Amino acid sequence: MLDSPLLPRLATSAASAYIGGSWFAVPGPRDLHVTNPADGRLLAELPMLGADEAERAIEAAAASAEQPSEDDRRAWLEGIAAGLTENRRELGRIISLENGKPWKEAEAEVDYAASFFRYAASHLERLRSHQLRERPRGHGWVVHYRPVGVAALIVPWNFPLAMTAKKLSAALAAGAPSVLKPATLTPLSSIALLEIIDSLGLPGGMVNLIVGDSRSIGRVFCEHPAVRSISFTGSTEVGRLLLRQAAPHIKRLTLELGGNAPFIVCGDADLDSAVEHLIQNKFRCAGQTCVCANRVYVDSAVASAFTDRLVRRVAKLNVGDGLQPETDLGPLINRAGFEKVRGHVEDALQRGARCEAGELPPEPTEEWGLFFPPTVLSGVPHDARCVAEETFGPLIPLIEFGSESQVLEWANGTEFGLAAYLFTADAERARRMIGRLHFGHAGYNSGTGPTAEAPFGGWKASGFGREGGREGLMEFVEPQTVPSST
Ligand code: NAD
């Protein structure tokens, strides 16, 4: 069992629910087992909660729906950011243990999470009421930004703390009470976050946590009238389900869904820089991120030079237990994830691709220790599964292209529109091509992902709504317009 000063309640049955400002002991079996994906070690046994507890949490949130002052909201946001930073090392350890990612990467996730609370704290003036300069119809017009109501926050396992921070910082900035549902694979960092929040003395019900069965809790979120906004990060499949379930109840949704990011290397690009950006972009969380390059298109004139450089760089990567300091890639999260990546490699090889780095690992025999070698395949045909689907693992498929129009057609030929990357030394070509890429995030000579200061979100089947930046701060407010004849 995981022993952590940030998780004092793991030995009791009161860690699965934080409702109305208190930890909530739930009798019954503790049948949710959280394990370390590196070695299968049991980290925690928690009660698996469901619809009843979800309703209770929503009602506690609804009861706290007073509009908090800007000073209070700023103090909460700053307090959480400071609490995260103070506990950076231990939170990083918890994330690494439950998710498998390298500890140093997990610490960077804590910094990233804290940056969202800091950004929101320092931009609350954007949510102030304001008077229009114009006086249409001879009236004075004031616009207020009211909290939306109860916000339901559903987060995935790949950035368990950062994805929570993106949503919770915006909800608190708006003054909207929330109910957080972490992924059952990685609930411990959210529980630790709630321990930090508990010490800050927020009004009871402002932030609630419920760990449990996704389907039943998700359904309650969609159907309960007090929930006015659902913010979800996860697969497109579950996003579609939530849309369907919420439709009869007309709820606000923010959907951060799957990606299938193209990474385009033009013939005039700085190849060393493109390789380094690809390594940093692709192997974070062992390739299990929504903004990871999923298909790498290289101008055929530089394909062999690029491949050589990439293969040499990949050979330096260490795969292993996330707590070991030399580890660059940890294990994949579970067997289904491993089998998907393995299936993509096998399929591409069968279609004639060549293996430049890595190898096809044997089929797994255990549920843990699923270390997948960083793999580079060249000559990948366009109809391979790893080109059409999001692999979510450490596979780089290289596809050669001959012209700008061809690569743009291929890059956009997906239902997804989350992230894309373009490497070229020609600024005019970059301007032209980025203008034609149908993605919400388009890196130019950069593989960087989102940041707290800029809006991030998808187009098409990658979802809608934004996190980060001033657009992200508007996700949990309802504008109220007040015309006045006086
Ligand atoms: P997932 O959809 O299976 O799960 C995400 C969350 O939804 C988890 O908390 C899960 O417990 C919950 N969930 C599952 N079924 C549910 C249901 N019926 N009702 C309510 N909640 C339910 O996704 P995942 O496997 O955890 O994450 C991987 C996916 O997330 C990938 O497709 C990835 O691209 C996407 N993702 C997107 C972003 C983004 O910002 N766009 C960021 C990270 C991950």
Side-chain angles (χ1 to χ4, degrees):
M1 287 289 220
L2 173 58
D3 186 16
S4 168
L6 286 179
L7 294 167
R9 256 159 279 266
L10 279 197
T12 74
S13 66
S16 283
Y18 182 81
I19 297 178
S22 307
W23 293 95
F24 181 73
V26 183
R30 295 206 226 154
D31 40 15
L32 170 54
H33 297 171
V34 186
T35 55
N36 179 343
D39 56 15
R41 198 161 58 96
L42 186 66
L43 299 172
E45 287 176 327
L46 301 170
M48 177 77 109
L49 306 184
D52 290 350
E53 292 84 7
E55 280 181 20
R56 212 175 166 130
I58 292 165
E59 275 145 31
S64 85
E66 285 296 308
Q67 284 185 33
S69 72
E70 186 179 311
D71 284 348
D72 282 348
R73 288 177 280 137
R74 184 174 299 105
W76 303 339
L77 291 160
E78 285 172 350
I80 296 171
L84 292 177
T85 301
E86 215 169 284
N87 294 289
R88 172 181 198 269
R89 184 112 183 106
E90 183 58 12
L91 281 166
R93 188 174 78 96
I94 294 169
I95 295 171
S96 176
L97 284 168
E98 66 178 354
N99 166 284
K101 67 176 66 177
W103 194 346
K104 59 193 171 195
E105 209 179 288
E107 285 183 301
E109 179 176 341
V110 179
D111 297 339
Y112 182 48
S115 73
F116 280 86
F117 290 103
R118 285 207 178 91
Y119 175 83
S122 56
H123 288 78
L124 289 177
E125 77 284 354
R126 294 196 185 281
L127 299 176
R128 281 183 200 153
S129 307
H130 65 271
Q131 172 120 28
L132 298 190
R133 273 200 304 262
E134 303 85 353
R135 282 187 58 85
R137 303 209 180 104
H139 284 42
W141 293 67
V142 178
V143 180
H144 302 285
Y145 296 111
R146 308 293 191 200
V148 67
V150 176
L153 315 178
I154 307 177
V155 296
W157 48 266
N158 60 349
F159 290 91
L161 189 67
M163 297 296 151
T164 303
K166 289 183 176 201
K167 299 178 190 312
L168 186 58
S169 57
L172 284 174
S178 56
V179 181
L180 165 67
K181 192 209 87 59
T184 42
L185 291 165
T186 55
L188 303 181
S189 41
S190 295
I191 296 171
L193 171 66
L194 266 288
E195 290 284 0
I196 291 171
I197 292 175
D198 184 52
S199 70
L200 296 173
L202 273 65
M206 185 50 75
V207 183
N208 305 273
L209 168 81
I210 168 149
V211 179
D213 179 64
S214 300
R215 276 173 192 274
S216 49
I217 296 171
R219 183 167 283 283
V220 173
F221 283 171
C222 292
E223 293 179 355
H224 197 294
V227 174
R228 296 310 322 152
S229 172
I230 301 170
S231 177
F232 169 78
T233 298
S235 60
T236 296
E237 186 194 349
V238 174
R240 284 197 173 102
L241 175 73
L242 293 173
L243 263 175
R244 277 199 302 274
Q245 287 181 171
H249 309 279
I250 321 280
K251 301 212 169 176
R252 293 253 309 250
L253 283 151
T254 301
L255 297 177
E256 298 283 358
L257 308 177
N260 179 0
F263 189 104
I264 303 169
V265 182
C266 297
D268 59 359
D270 175 338
L271 298 187
D272 290 322
S273 170
V275 163
E276 199 48 44
H277 278 276
L278 179 57
I279 295 281
Q280 301 306 329
N281 164 288
K282 178 67 204 185
F283 295 119
R284 216 150 54 112
C285 198
Q288 303 166 109
T289 87
C290 57
V291 293
C292 271
N294 196 57
R295 343 164 237 156
V296 178
Y297 295 106
V298 188
D299 187 323
S300 48
V302 294
S304 87
F306 182 81
T307 307
D308 289 349
R309 285 167 166 81
L310 179 62
V311 168
R312 266 187 270 127
R313 185 64 182 81
V314 166
K316 293 185 186 149
L317 296 172
N318 294 310
V319 183
D321 185 322
L323 290 189
Q324 299 308 315
E326 67 280 5
T327 296
D328 298 305
L329 283 83
L332 297 188
I333 190 75
N334 60 16
R335 194 178 179 127
F338 188 95
E339 281 170 354
K340 184 172 190 194
V341 187
R342 191 181 179 282
H344 280 193
V345 174
E346 196 170 28
D347 168 77
L349 291 173
Q350 276 166 5
R351 290 173 196 265
R354 291 176 302 282
C355 188
E356 304 281 354
E359 60 189 344
L360 184 68
E363 300 238 22
T365 53
E366 305 274 8
E367 300 299 321
W368 47 268
L370 301 166
F371 297 99
F372 204 102
T375 301
V376 178
L377 302 179
S378 64
V380 177
H382 211 73
D383 56 357
R385 281 181 58 207
C386 62
V387 178
E389 299 168 23
E390 185 183 35
T391 302
F392 236 53
L395 164 63
I396 297 180
L398 298 174
I399 305 143
E400 292 183 30
F401 71 88
S403 72
E404 197 177 300
S405 58
Q406 180 183 53
V407 76
L408 282 172
E409 190 185 323
W410 284 348
N412 287 329
T414 169
E415 67 168 333
F416 298 108
L418 195 59
Y421 308 92
L422 174 69
F423 286 75
T424 174
D426 179 344
E428 175 51 30
R429 178 199 294 218
R431 192 196 55 73
R432 194 170 59 230
M433 289 181 73
I434 287 172
R436 290 179 193 155
L437 283 168
H438 303 158
F439 296 83
H441 178 99
Y444 168 31
N445 289 337
S446 172
T448 192
T451 166
E453 295 78 6
F456 174 79
W459 293 7
K460 298 165 34 184
S462 291
F464 45 75
R466 290 295 178 267
E467 291 180 334
R470 74 168 96 145
E471 290 82 353
L473 286 179
M474 305 305 284
E475 288 293 323
F476 298 100
V477 293
E478 286 286 15
Q480 182 184 47
T481 306
V482 182
S484 159
S485 61
T486 54

